[in-house]
Amino acid sequence: MRDKVKAFNVGGVDYITKPYRFEEVRARVETHLTLKAAREYLKDKNRFLEYTFSRFVSPKVVETMKLRPISEFLKMERCELTVLFADLRGFTTLANELTPEEIQETLNSFLAVMVARVEEAGGMMDKFLGDGFMALFGAPFRQADHARRALSASVSIQQAHRRWMAERSAEGRQCRPLGIGAAVGETVVGAYGTHNRMEYTALGHVVNLASRLCGAAEAGEILTTPFTRDAALRNVPAGAVPRFLSFLSKGKMRFKNIQETVEVISISPEENKP
């Protein structure tokens, strides 16, 4: 018995006792070959499904689903995070002048740059919104420095977008500047939907606020709030130089579906700092 346990512990899956019978050996070998083929098929199928699924949702969501029980993943929960919205200015008008193929190429090229900057900062691309997008920092994986990551990403996004516009302009292709809004706050985050279609996202006041800030941002501008700025600069490690170097007050603004006036500030990246 001890030898059998030892054999199983090192990877054995079956055993045969003497006297050996050819028919039994062949049947067992055929069974294990069938099981091996089934395992390989399932591995290939899982890889294919994971690849396909990850093209429609953030890779971070895929990783979360693999690490957490599905019931826990589907559960909505309250947490503080930072929401970032970005939108191309005037793209709807430009789209009227482009062919469907040109629209697709422009958006795919634009979003490829944007996704890279968001994920580089540890954010999750929540959804594409036509000529813009929504990103989350602090979910599905918790990040104590989500505000700093989001504002740093905002600057990186604008800088990358300016390079992207310069490259396309040099090629004779049309492009549009970008506006960004970011806000920190408590949200309800998780998966919701129907039995055959679910979406992982954040819901709540801060989502609306970040969207309104994005809508109010001028071309090439990043708008946020003093609360978000303070959260981003809180406990900055010694020697760490924020990529967002200066803030300019824009005064108080009123936004649709937000009762109180909002103190708004603009973030100036290093290259724009006097």
Side-chain angles (χ1 to χ4, degrees), residues 68-235:
R68 298 165 63 182
I70 189 65
S71 59
E72 184 179 336
F73 171 78
L74 293 176
K75 181 177 64 177
M76 302 291 283
E77 57 183 337
R78 291 187 180 277
C79 70
E80 183 186 86
L81 51 75
T82 306
V83 182
L84 183 154
F85 277 87
D87 178 77
L88 288 173
R89 296 298 182 248
F91 186 79
T92 301
T93 301
L94 173 62
N96 292 328
E97 306 171 10
L98 303 177
T99 66
E101 293 77 14
E102 289 172 331
I103 293 173
Q104 182 182 45
E105 186 280 329
T106 300
L107 291 178
N108 286 349
S109 175
F110 160 70
L111 290 170
V113 176
M114 300 298 101
V115 169
R117 298 289 79 79
V118 168
E119 294 184 348
E120 180 183 77
M124 184 196 88
M125 188 64 76
D126 180 284
K127 59 174 66 71
F128 298 144
L129 302 167
D131 55 359
F133 62 86
M134 170 183 168
L136 304 179
F137 292 80
F141 299 116
R142 301 295 175 259
Q143 298 163 322
D145 59 346
H146 54 81
R148 190 183 326 149
R149 288 174 180 270
L151 295 193
S152 181
S154 298
V155 172
S156 177
I157 286 169
Q158 284 290 19
Q159 292 171 335
H161 185 67
R162 281 193 282 274
R163 291 192 295 270
W164 178 79
M165 287 196 298
E167 292 170 1
R168 292 184 70 82
S169 180
E171 297 170 354
R173 302 187 184 193
Q174 298 190 63
C175 49
R176 288 292 184 269
L178 188 69
I180 296 176
V184 165
E186 185 180 80
T187 69
V188 176
V189 64
Y192 78 105
T194 67
H195 69 282
N196 59 359
R197 181 175 174 83
M198 302 292 290
E199 178 177 351
Y200 185 94
T201 191
L203 305 171
H205 167 76
V206 69
V207 178
N208 184 34
L209 175 57
S211 176
R212 300 303 178 190
L213 289 168
C214 176
E218 297 177 5
E221 190 174 37
I222 304 166
L223 293 185
T224 189
T225 64
F227 181 74
T228 306
R229 174 201 60 197
D230 295 344
L233 297 178
R234 191 179 303 127
N235 300 322

Side-chain angles (χ1 to χ4, degrees), residues 10 15 41-42 47 65 67 69 75 79 83 87 91 99 110 123 174 179 195 218 231 252 259 268 272:
V10 296
Y15 68 92
Y41 172 80
L42 289 175
R47 280 193 291 266
M65 293 183 70
L67 296 173
K75 181 177 64 177
C79 70
V83 182
D87 178 77
F91 186 79
T99 66
F110 160 70
Q174 298 190 63
H195 69 282
E218 297 177 5
K252 292 187 176 182
Q259 289 186 341
S268 298
N272 288 346

